Amino acid sequence: MDQNRIRFLLKLYSDQLATPKEVEELFDLLKTAEPNDQLKKLFVESVIHTEPEIVLPEEAWDTIWNNISAGTFLQQEQKTPVMLRTRTFAAAVVAAIVGIAGFFIVHKKKQEIPVAVTRNIDKEDIRPGGNKALLTLGDGTSIVLDTAQMGYLASQSNTKIIKLNAGLLSYKNGKTPGGKILMNTITTPRGGQYELELEDGTRVWLNSASSLVFPTSFTGKERSVELKGEGYFEVARNVVKPFHVTVNNVDVRVLGTHFNIMSYGDEENINTTLLEGKVNVTANSVTKSLVPGKEAIVNRATNSIEINKANIDEVIAWKNGEFRFKNTGIRELMRQVARWYNVEVEYETTTNGQYFTASLPRMQNIAALLETLELTGTIHFKIDNRKIIVLP
């Protein structure tokens, strides 16, 4: 066994630099290597080094290794979803394990079963989204931010608009007060995202297919913005001037806090998730307060508010460059994929009973993401230009 060669190929694969031939060579080496303590040690050390979240006792690694080397994988307890890990080196390990042992999918009855591996993605591929947005000024002038130069872009009354880097726009208020307050709009397309620093120091991250309407400077007794789509807010604290986010008929009121709002028109609910501080969510004249770790779910049809425990990692995964799913149905999952890759999704299967638990990088091409989902063996995809066809 050539440990150095395996280690080298694993590094290339984890960095997404491996050629198809190198990937094939890596899988062949892992499949044909004689089970031994050296290869097991290499596998365990590499996973632990790159994935600090993985903490297992030695006997657990023994079980995993024995199943890998035997070409099988133990079925887990029914209430314990298996997480797909494909970032950095874990991507290579998972893919290699799957190539040897199959994987799991959570079905409608929440039963996890091992399945065979298939790879049916066409050669066509689609790149992920990136830092793209359109800024519309108060006078109607539009600036394409992804192609605009760095530095000063424009002035609105007494406020300067500065592009700080490829994905960050900043509003800086001048020292001289006064001037007409104008409303600006920043819009991200499907396949776009952008970060914005408002005049008061509040930071806003916009997900794809989203927009934010905001004033060039906050005056008066309140700070108010209007959101469509999804945004993550880190609001600058100001005890005498609360911050309001209006989403459809929902109002979110804060003083200074970190929270996420998801309000896409093709989703059933408007979700406000609190990470830090305190917010009040008002819908249909009913106000409920959130504490960190909770989320307010407003049903679009009834305007009713339900407070639930939030899965913070899943909610803000988009901001951190990931897709995270926990028992997520295929249609909800593909809506997120469609917005980020700017694709249409067509279904040639009527099944709604497939639920996925996964952690996947957002910056990989779509074929790699779909191939990972195909590893379950229960769902398949076809790429037709910018259309993803979901097959049974």
Side-chain angles (χ1 to χ4, degrees), residues 347-386:
Y347 293 88
E348 293 187 1
T349 173
T350 58
T351 180
N352 290 314
Q354 295 164 329
Y355 292 81
F356 294 83
T357 293
S359 177
L360 306 167
R362 275 182 29 133
M363 295 312 297
Q364 63 181 338
N365 286 1
I366 199 168
L369 181 144
L370 298 179
E371 282 183 355
T372 303
L373 297 176
E374 277 199 343
L375 292 174
T376 62
T378 64
I379 196 164
H380 309 287
F381 303 91
K382 179 181 179 181
I383 301 176
D384 182 8
N385 293 320
R386 299 201 72 86

Side-chain angles (χ1 to χ4, degrees), residues 305-317:
I305 306 177
E306 181 180 342
I307 306 298
N308 289 333
K309 183 179 179 181
N311 185 328
I312 299 297
D313 289 340
E314 183 179 354
V315 168
I316 66 168

Side-chain angles (χ1 to χ4, degrees), residues 2 8 27 36 47-48 61 73 85 123 128 132 157 162 232 283 290 294 311 344 355 375:
D2 188 345
F8 171 74
F27 284 5
N36 58 60
V47 174
I48 292 176
W61 287 114
F73 207 96
R85 296 182 180 273
K123 296 299 182 182
K132 304 173 186 177
S157 297
I162 302 170
Y232 175 82
L290 282 181
K294 298 289 186 177
N311 185 328
E344 296 180 24
Y355 292 81
L375 292 174

